[in-house]
Amino acid sequence: MSVVQQGVIRTPFQLSHSQIACNSTYVVLPYVRTTLGVWKLDQITAKPLSLEGHHGRVSASCFGHQALPTLLCSASDDYVIIWNIENVFKCLLTGKQITGSVIGTSLGHINYCSFNLDDSLVAICSDRTVHILHTHEERVQSILEGHDSMVSCCEFCPHYTATLVTVSHDRTFKVWNVEDGCIVYQSTIISSSPFISLAMSKAHEQVAMGTADGQVRIYDMSDGNDFRCLHELDVPKILSKYKETALDQRENDSTNKEPNFVSSRPSWQKQKMSHDQKDDPTEGATDLSEVGCSIIGLFYTYQPLTEHREDNENQFLQQSDTVVKDLLASQPTLVIGTTGGILQVNVKTLELIQFTDFQDQTSVAPGLGSLSTAGCYAFCQPNPSQVWCVVGSLFEPLVYVLTETIKSTIGNLPDILDGSLSLNESSPILSVLSSAPLFPNSPLKAELTPKVKDATTTQKGTKKMVMAVATKGQVVDQPLTFKSKVRSSGYSAESPRRTMFQPKTNSSKSAPPTKTPSRLSNRKSAIKEYAMNCGSPSQLKEKLDIAEKPAAINKIQFSGDGQYLACALANNSAQLVKMPLSSGKGTSLVGHNGAVNAITWSHDNQLLLSCSDDKTSMLWSKSGNEPIMEFKTVNNNFSIDKDGSTAKLDKENPMFGQEIKLIQFYYVDKFILLVSGNAFNMYKYHLDPTKSDLKRYKTNSRYKIVKSFQMTEAQQITALSAINSFHSYLVLCAGSNKTVEIFDMNAAKSVHCFQDVHSAKPAHVICQNQGSSYASHPATAYDMFLTAAANDSIKLWDLRTKSCVRRYEGHSNRAHSCGLDISPCSKFIASGSEDRAAYVFDVRSGTYLHKLTGHTDVVSDVVFHPMYSQLATACLNGKIRLYTEP
């Protein structure tokens, strides 16, 4: 049990809607009606220290941020008093009178108070105004007004000492500069319910605000980001899902313990008997509306990670993995106090870590049975693994002092990254770079080798001539050849004269001598390296209309060398554009009878694969505009165009029954992965570019299925990704059941399944961190992959920890399948959006760096250049834009 009760304190009145104070050493509560009591956390049952000075009921109190001296501010309708706790204990030991410093009088009913970072100022919320008082003298520095309703909370920013954030019941928040005496930002009406809680993050420039209807909004406080909303957390929805999962788990446990019920009665009687005998599964479940989910307390925690072990002897051989460390090193937690329980939420992923339900007697500590509804909270963190929660009851004059363990979201990460953590076989460590050899019966050993027949030998073993000799009066079939020039018979034309010598009369000294291209110039692109310390592309360089008439671009992809950009269009064609875009050179690939859904390059940059809604897929050559091979049937194409005739329908080798949405090369161009329906097939293939002069439409290239993999619980595979730049065993598939399943192609089985990857809709894209041929990364960087879904954010996942490690929000994606990509340096993420813009995110942060505007339609796909810091964007109106680093 992670929640432990340390003690219960009785107060003179109910503390609902009051501010109580605690730090890592003390807790302060009303002891008598006008007297405060100071308890030590490690001696919560002892008699408290009394602080007398107020003539009215104390409605707000808070501790300062400095360790020495420890300042306490207590506020009532008559006085605002500052207490020095160290001096108070000295006076108690010497027998002197305990007094505090009065810094404010008759400010009205005070709702909230807060110190700044150096404890020199204190902000007092009184009705609709905020008074800024000095802590060492009775002087008001400034009065802030502007809210239309009661100011519920205020907090100073720990990163900008003069910045103060206030939230109000008017459903707005304001940002003030206390030193300059001006307002920095004021929001519009954001929520349908008033803001009633506020918390600042010391680790990140963020502020969290809670509303009465259970919504938590996190805003960016960093300079220049316009205080944009980073995340929105729907607490009632999270708790409803949590309770449904817990209820299903209980039903499964009870079903396993109960005996099997066997009946010989008719089905209608059997169902009646079963319903009469079984209890109601919803019995005992608590409706969220009974308690409510008002956010009355927020607190940021921070859990440091153990330092990553490095081998100093081989450190010069290792790549820098600072990006991976930054992503996984700090996992801050947001503690949310509601009227019905306490939640722990991962700030970076917004995933629920732990929930303590006051209504569920099995999840709370002994003695908390009477705490059914909370009225106020106070939090402190004395050590990285524990949080003290002071909870005031809503209906009783009782305060419960609890300790809650902070659960780690990443486990023993250093051992996982080092590979030294020994896990059982049921939970293996997944990695894109596998060190295990191929199994003897591995599907990855399959190869398609064509059978070579002796053309000069018949079935009986007798030799036959390759070309028949014509007898007199007999016509023999000869191949029809086409040549550009036909020699003349020579009867009417004179023989051409050859010029033996002709002097050069138009020579110029300034003309440069022509040089033949050398091998070194051809390898210039291979010698270049990607600038790992480059900036993000944000400046428009070129733009191009890909087609004469507007046609939606479904997919774009650069070739591995960056020389070509392939585009899949909705007008039944694909386009190859030679870089730069201004050259205007390209090739049109026409052959599909439906919209082209995807197009992908081979590792050697010579072949392309395209798939279409016409239930076919085609293999193309970069240098030609006719397909080399066409995928029409599921198993193979051995009978297609046999003897010049069209293949007949075969029950054992049927045509594809659904549209082919995804296709790609795999295992360094050795195999082809094709998605149709809820299965993906792995094919081996053999290419024979030779064609007959008489039957040019006949292809000699062949393919054959190796194995088919199904997502049994999904109706459709919505996304697929696999590494092709090096040998990797893992294939990632996203299904319509909101899962992402990992397949080990070496073992030919599913090894892990991520459940509920996105809450709203299934993932429509999976993007792995593949880098490029011009950039190198540590092994741990390749275990990262991205997913995106409509009506949800972008999520970054780690295969080794099998969890989500970061969440990115800010773009608009509600209906279309907007693409995304990771830069070759692994520092930036680009995403399309429906608001006619493309977004560039920093991998380490949860907000975007640049919003690339200027597009005239939905940005359907984005892709980074493999060699330069450039980004190509594609729109649904057929326009491409290229951005570069400024």
Side-chain angles (χ1 to χ4, degrees):
M1 186 175 296
S2 60
V3 177
V4 179
Q5 177 180 321
Q6 301 296 334
V8 179
I9 302 174
R10 180 169 292 275
T11 57
F13 47 83
Q14 300 173 8
L15 296 182
S16 58
H17 310 295
S18 299
Q19 183 190 11
I20 56 179
C22 75
N23 62 4
S24 59
T25 307
Y26 306 103
V27 58
V28 175
L29 299 170
Y31 185 50
V32 187
R33 186 171 183 83
T34 60
T35 304
L36 290 177
V38 180
W39 286 265
K40 290 187 177 182
L41 290 178
D42 55 353
Q43 300 175 5
I44 203 66
T45 58
K47 186 178 179 180
L49 172 66
S50 298
L51 302 179
E52 298 180 357
H54 292 278
H55 295 164
R57 172 178 170 180
V58 177
S59 58
S61 59
C62 68
F63 278 102
H65 299 283
Q66 300 297 321
L68 289 175
T70 303
L71 299 183
L72 171 68
C73 176
S74 60
S76 62
D77 294 347
D78 51 359
Y79 299 126
V80 177
I81 303 177
I82 300 295
W83 308 85
N84 189 324
I85 301 299
E86 283 76 16
N87 291 340
V88 167
F89 279 98
K90 288 182 180 178
C91 293
L92 179 64
L93 294 177
T94 58
K96 296 181 180 180
Q97 185 179 2
I98 299 175
T99 59
S101 301
V102 178
I103 62 173
T105 58
S106 302
L107 298 180
H109 181 72
I110 297 175
N111 308 315
Y112 199 90
C113 57
S114 176
F115 283 94
N116 66 343
L117 189 61
D118 58 358
D119 296 345
S120 61
L121 300 174
V122 61
I124 305 297
C125 300
S126 175
D127 197 17
R128 300 182 182 182
T129 60
V130 179
H131 300 261
I132 308 299
L133 308 179
H134 287 271
T135 57
H136 302 292
E137 57 181 333
E138 188 177 353
R139 183 167 67 90
V140 180
Q141 175 174 318
S142 58
I143 299 176
L144 311 178
E145 62 176 4
H147 285 287
D148 296 331
S149 186
M150 183 183 69
V151 180
S152 54
C153 296
C154 68
E155 288 288 346
F156 283 93
C157 181
H159 307 281
Y160 307 98
T161 56
T163 302
L164 178 71
V165 180
T166 60
V167 295
S168 170
H169 283 192
D170 61 3
R171 299 165 293 172
T172 65
F173 75 93
K174 299 180 186 295
V175 182
W176 312 80
N177 190 322
V178 177
E179 288 185 358
D180 298 338
C182 64
I183 185 169
V184 179
Y185 177 82
Q186 54 182 349
S187 70
T188 57
I189 296 178
I190 298 173
S191 172
S192 60
S193 298
F195 289 107
I196 57 176
S197 58
L198 181 68
M200 287 284 183
S201 174
K202 295 182 180 180
H204 303 86
E205 298 178 8
Q206 297 176 359
V207 56
M209 305 175 188
T211 61
D213 60 350
Q215 306 296 317
V216 177
R217 291 174 173 86
I218 300 176
Y219 290 88
D220 189 3
M221 292 293 294
S222 57
D223 191 15
N225 287 339
D226 299 329
F227 304 97
R228 67 171 71 111
C229 182
L230 298 178
H231 309 292
E232 292 186 13
L233 189 63
D234 191 349
V235 174
K237 186 177 181 180
I238 292 177
L239 294 184
S240 177
K241 182 179 178 181
Y242 170 81
K243 293 190 176 183
E244 288 179 1
T245 305
L247 186 61
D248 293 340
Q249 183 66 30
R250 291 180 186 177
E251 290 181 358
N252 294 334
D253 295 341
S254 63
T255 303
N256 295 332
K257 295 179 181 179
E258 291 180 357
N260 295 330
F261 184 77
V262 181
S263 176
S264 62
R265 297 179 181 273
S267 59
W268 59 275
Q269 290 184 353
K270 185 188 303 183
Q271 294 177 359
K272 184 178 180 180
M273 290 286 294
S274 61
H275 284 294
D276 292 340
Q277 292 183 3
K278 288 187 177 181
D279 297 332
D280 186 7
T282 60
E283 185 178 355
T286 304
D287 189 4
L288 292 176
S289 61
E290 296 180 3
V291 180
C293 293
S294 298
I295 311 299
I296 57 178
L298 292 170
F299 181 73
Y300 274 97
T301 67
Y302 185 78
Q303 184 177 12
L305 182 68
T306 308
E307 294 184 359
H308 185 68
R309 297 188 299 268
E310 293 183 357
D311 189 1
N312 295 328
E313 297 180 358
N314 300 328
Q315 188 174 1
F316 70 97
L317 296 175
Q318 301 174 0
Q319 300 292 336
S320 176
D321 56 350
T322 56
V323 175
V324 180
K325 287 183 179 180
D326 292 341
L327 288 172
L328 302 178
S330 60
Q331 295 291 326
T333 302
L334 179 63
V335 180
I336 303 175
T338 66
T339 52
I342 303 174
L343 297 84
Q344 289 186 23
V345 178
N346 190 327
V347 177
K348 294 184 178 180
T349 63
L350 299 188
E351 293 183 349
L352 181 63
I353 304 173
Q354 179 179 291
F355 174 55
T356 302
D357 189 1
F358 296 152
Q359 306 295 320
D360 188 2
Q361 299 299 323
T362 61
S363 63
V364 298
L368 288 180
S370 59
L371 179 59
S372 59
T373 307
C376 59
Y377 282 94
F379 301 97
C380 65
Q381 187 179 7
N383 54 72
S385 61
Q386 197 176 55
V387 171
W388 286 74
C389 308
V390 182
V391 186
S393 178
L394 182 63
F395 302 112
E396 295 179 320
L398 296 175
V399 174
Y400 297 83
V401 181
L402 313 175
T403 56
E404 185 170 11
T405 304
I406 303 175
K407 286 192 174 181
S408 175
T409 58
I410 54 177
N412 198 355
L413 182 63
D415 292 336
I416 294 177
L417 295 179
D418 291 338
S420 59
L421 184 63
S422 59
L423 299 178
N424 50 23
E425 296 180 358
S426 61
S427 179
I429 296 179
L430 300 179
S431 178
V432 171
L433 294 171
S434 180
S435 58
L438 290 176
F439 296 151
N441 56 347
S442 174
L444 299 178
K445 288 188 174 182
E447 293 183 0
L448 183 61
T449 304
K451 295 181 180 180
V452 180
K453 294 184 178 180
D454 190 358
T456 61
T457 307
T458 60
Q459 294 181 356
K460 296 181 179 181
T462 59
K463 291 186 178 182
K464 63 178 181 179
M465 300 297 295
V466 176
M467 182 177 295
V469 181
T471 58
K472 189 176 182 181
Q474 183 181 0
V475 180
V476 178
D477 291 337
Q478 297 291 338
L480 181 61
T481 58
F482 299 93
K483 297 182 179 180
S484 60
K485 295 183 180 180
V486 180
R487 292 184 180 180
S488 175
S489 59
Y491 292 107
S492 59
E494 297 181 0
S495 59
R497 296 181 179 179
R498 179 177 299 176
T499 303
M500 301 298 296
F501 175 77
Q502 185 175 357
K504 258 189 179 180
T505 58
N506 58 349
S507 62
S508 176
K509 293 182 180 180
S510 60
T514 58
K515 294 183 180 180
T516 58
S518 61
R519 292 184 179 180
L520 182 61
S521 62
N522 293 335
R523 293 181 180 177
K524 280 186 177 181
S525 60
I527 297 175
K528 289 185 178 180
E529 292 185 2
Y530 193 93
M532 303 300 290
N533 296 325
C534 63
S536 59
S538 58
Q539 182 178 354
L540 179 63
K541 182 180 181 181
E542 295 175 312
K543 52 185 179 180
L544 175 69
D545 292 343
I546 197 65
E548 296 180 357
K549 298 181 180 180
I553 303 177
N554 296 326
K555 185 70 177 179
I556 58 175
Q557 189 179 26
F558 277 111
S559 58
D561 54 5
Q563 299 297 322
Y564 288 88
L565 178 65
C567 308
L569 306 178
N571 62 355
N572 306 350
S573 68
Q575 298 287 338
L576 291 185
V577 182
K578 186 172 178 58
M579 300 300 293
L581 297 178
S582 58
S583 64
K585 298 180 181 179
T587 306
S588 181
L589 306 179
V590 181
H592 287 290
N593 296 324
V596 181
N597 297 319
I599 189 166
T600 181
W601 286 90
S602 62
H603 179 63
D604 59 2
N605 305 317
Q606 300 299 320
L607 302 175
L608 296 101
L609 280 170
S610 63
C611 58
S612 171
D613 285 341
D614 61 0
K615 303 177 183 179
T616 64
S617 177
M618 294 185 180
L619 180 65
W620 310 81
S621 174
K622 181 183 69 173
S623 58
N625 54 4
E626 293 183 359
I628 300 176
M629 185 170 58
E630 185 176 5
F631 292 78
K632 284 186 176 180
T633 54
V634 176
N635 295 331
N636 56 66
N637 67 338
F638 294 164
S639 59
I640 289 186
D641 293 333
K642 188 176 182 180
D643 296 331
S645 60
T646 305
K648 298 180 180 179
L649 294 177
D650 188 1
K651 293 182 179 179
E652 297 181 356
N653 189 22
M655 309 281 281
F656 288 103
Q658 299 185 31
E659 296 84 358
I660 301 177
K661 297 294 184 181
L662 301 164
I663 193 169
Q664 73 162 86
F665 290 95
Y666 173 60
Y667 212 66
V668 195
D669 299 342
K670 184 178 181 180
F671 301 101
I672 292 175
L673 301 179
L674 183 146
V675 173
S676 180
N678 66 338
F680 73 94
N681 304 332
M682 185 173 71
Y683 293 95
K684 55 185 179 180
Y685 63 98
H686 171 75
L687 299 181
D688 188 358
T690 61
K691 289 187 177 181
S692 173
D693 291 332
L694 294 177
K695 302 176 182 178
R696 298 181 63 85
Y697 55 86
K698 181 180 177 181
T699 178
N700 295 323
S701 301
R702 294 290 180 259
Y703 70 86
K704 184 180 180 181
I705 189 171
V706 178
K707 193 172 181 60
S708 180
F709 300 86
Q710 278 191 342
M711 296 185 69
T712 55
E713 297 182 359
Q715 297 181 355
Q716 190 82 19
I717 292 181
T718 58
L720 179 135
S721 178
I723 301 283
N724 186 47
S725 56
F726 53 85
H727 293 93
S728 175
Y729 298 160
L730 300 184
V731 175
L732 285 66
C733 292
S736 56
N737 57 345
K738 303 179 186 178
T739 62
V740 170
E741 198 164 354
I742 313 297
F743 290 89
D744 188 350
M745 307 304 286
N746 185 25
K749 65 178 182 180
S750 174
V751 292
H752 187 71
C753 184
F754 294 90
Q755 298 289 339
D756 295 328
V757 174
H758 292 275
S759 59
K761 292 184 180 180
H764 60 251
V765 61
I766 298 178
C767 179
Q768 289 183 264
N769 184 20
Q770 303 191 32
S772 73
S773 302
Y774 308 97
S776 58
H777 297 284
T780 54
Y782 295 101
D783 294 324
M784 302 286 182
F785 70 94
L786 293 168
T787 61
N791 290 328
D792 206 346
S793 60
I794 301 172
K795 291 186 178 182
L796 179 65
W797 303 79
D798 182 67
L799 282 174
R800 289 178 176 263
T801 61
K802 300 176 184 176
S803 61
C804 178
V805 295
R806 196 60 60 95
R807 186 186 182 106
Y808 307 93
E809 292 181 349
H811 67 297
S812 176
N813 187 9
R814 297 184 179 180
H816 296 84
S817 299
C818 299
L820 54 90
D821 194 21
I822 305 178
S823 63
C825 61
S826 301
K827 292 168 53 180
F828 308 109
I829 296 172
S831 172
S833 180
E834 296 177 3
D835 57 355
R836 301 181 181 181
Y839 290 79
V840 179
F841 297 85
D842 184 3
V843 175
R844 296 179 176 89
S845 65
T847 183
Y848 57 88
L849 295 174
H850 303 287
K851 181 180 180 181
L852 308 179
T853 58
H855 303 83
T856 55
D857 207 335
V858 175
V859 180
S860 57
D861 199 16
V862 293
V863 63
F864 282 98
H865 196 281
M867 189 184 301
Y868 307 107
S869 179
Q870 296 178 352
L871 176 69
T873 62
C875 295
L876 291 182
N877 58 359
K879 294 185 178 181
I880 296 177
R881 299 166 72 92
L882 184 67
Y883 294 86
T884 186
E885 180 185 0

